[in-house]
């Protein structure tokens, strides 16, 4: 299921809400990882003397397991090992990057979500597949798209040897071009779609460009110029 979130620049960005099966698969993988961590710690402690064990043994084992999801999401940009393998991640419901407070709230509500599978039931009955922790923290889980490389640009855009029309593209980033290509591909048959118009206007304002090209053609030239500039620099 896809949702559209309007950015501060009034451009609608499409996000794919991750499926329930992806969340379950990620949880199973993370459970295996935590089991592996536990076995490894028990093995390490087996070499220590009995006097060193006791309460310390349980504390050392419990801490990484108890805080696994919080530590993972903080250090892996909204993902855990299971989430990374299944290509899903946590973001804010407005489409921006989640912060410590959001991850921490999800962490605090995890026991409640686990109680009689309340979190799973909540996912089934919420529009954006959110568990209780997501609702409390204002987060959603999305499917992560593979980064678009310049090889992908070659496949989707026909790059000519024409001179660069807009040298201002040097101010753009790979992530900007990835968003443009993604939108151009999705709107091939809707070249006057409002998102195409808004994104073209945003790029023009950002690069201080004035043009009479139609929005779709303008964005196509931007991608071509960026690729041409990148290719020139790489040679």
């Amino acid at each position: 299921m896809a949702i559209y979130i309007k950015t501060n620049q009034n451009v609608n960005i499409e996000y794919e809400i991750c499926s329930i099966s992806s969340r379950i698969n990620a949880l199973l993988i993370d459970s295996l990882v935590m089991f592996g961590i536990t076995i490894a710690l028990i093995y390490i402690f087996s070499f220590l003397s009995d006097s060193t064990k006791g309460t310390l043994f349980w504390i050392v084992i419990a801490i990484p397991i108890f805080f696994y999801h919080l530590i993972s999401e903080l250090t892996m940009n909204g993902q855990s090992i299971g989430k990374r393998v299944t290509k899903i991640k946590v973001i804010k419901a407005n489409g921006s990057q989640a912060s410590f407070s959001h991850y921490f709230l999800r962490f605090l509500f995890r026991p409640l979500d686990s109680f009689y599978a309340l979190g799973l039931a909540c996912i089934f009955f919420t529009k954006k597949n959110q568990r209780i922790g997501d609702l409390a923290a204002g987060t959603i889980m999305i499917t992560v798209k593979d980064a678009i490389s310049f090889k992908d640009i070659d496949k989707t855009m026909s790059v000519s040897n024409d001179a660069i029309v807009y040298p201002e593209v040097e101010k753009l980033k790979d992530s900007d071009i990835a968003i443009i290509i993604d939108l151009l591909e999705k709107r091939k048959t809707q070249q006057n779609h409002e998102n195409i118009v808004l994104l073209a206007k945003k790029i023009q304002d950002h690069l201080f460009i004035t043009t009479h090209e139609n929005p779709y053609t303008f964005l196509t030239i931007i991608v071509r110029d960026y690729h041409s500039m990148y290719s020139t620099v790489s040679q």
Side-chain angles (χ1 to χ4, degrees), residues 63-228:
I63 287 178
I65 301 304
F66 184 72
F67 291 101
Y68 169 80
H69 288 283
L70 177 60
I71 294 172
S72 295
E73 291 176 1
L74 282 171
T75 58
M76 297 175 67
N77 194 28
Q79 293 181 299
S80 60
I81 294 175
K83 292 185 183 73
R84 181 158 294 183
V85 170
T86 54
K87 295 185 177 181
I88 61 177
K89 70 175 293 184
V90 180
I91 64 171
K92 290 171 62 176
N94 65 3
S96 60
Q97 177 67 45
S99 64
F100 171 79
S101 60
H102 300 96
Y103 298 135
F104 187 66
L105 269 176
R106 295 182 84 255
F107 166 74
L108 287 181
F109 279 86
R110 186 169 290 277
L112 180 59
D113 279 310
S114 302
F115 185 71
Y116 286 102
L118 288 178
L120 183 60
C122 187
I123 291 173
F124 272 105
F125 291 105
T126 53
K127 183 178 179 181
K128 298 179 181 178
N129 292 355
Q130 294 168 288
R131 65 177 176 86
I132 298 172
D134 287 317
L135 293 173
T139 56
I140 56 175
M141 293 274 286
I142 62 167
T143 298
V144 179
K145 297 179 181 178
D146 292 327
I148 297 178
S149 67
F150 285 103
K151 290 182 179 179
D152 297 319
I153 295 178
D154 283 333
K155 294 176 183 177
T156 57
M157 310 290 294
S158 56
V159 181
S160 70
N161 293 320
D162 294 340
I164 293 175
V165 179
Y166 302 116
E168 296 90 346
V169 296
E170 66 180 358
K171 298 177 183 178
L172 298 177
K173 302 176 183 177
D174 289 356
S175 57
D176 299 323
I177 298 299
I179 291 174
I180 295 173
I181 292 174
D182 185 54
L183 188 57
L184 289 175
E185 283 295 294
K186 287 176 180 175
R187 300 301 176 189
K188 279 183 177 179
T189 59
Q190 299 172 292
Q191 297 189 6
N192 293 318
H193 190 277
E194 63 175 343
N195 285 348
I196 292 287
V197 176
L198 287 171
L199 184 55
K201 180 65 166 58
K202 175 187 173 184
I203 297 297
Q204 289 170 27
D205 291 344
H206 178 64
L207 301 181
F208 299 101
I209 291 175
T210 301
T211 179
H212 297 294
E213 296 283 0
N214 73 67
Y216 192 92
T217 300
F218 169 73
L219 292 177
T220 301
I221 295 173
I222 287 292
V223 173
R224 186 202 65 188
D225 284 353
Y226 189 86
H227 181 263
S228 297

Side-chain angles (χ1 to χ4, degrees), residues 5-41:
I5 297 175
K6 183 168 288 189
T7 67
N8 292 332
Q9 293 78 25
N10 292 320
V11 176
N12 287 329
I13 302 298
E14 181 179 351
Y15 291 95
E16 188 71 29
I17 297 295
C18 77
S19 64
I20 295 175
S21 60
S22 293
R23 295 186 75 142
I24 293 175
N25 289 336
L27 182 60
L28 290 175
I29 293 172
D30 285 328
S31 297
L32 289 175
V33 171
M34 289 188 284
F35 178 75
I37 293 173
T38 302
I39 295 300
L41 290 174

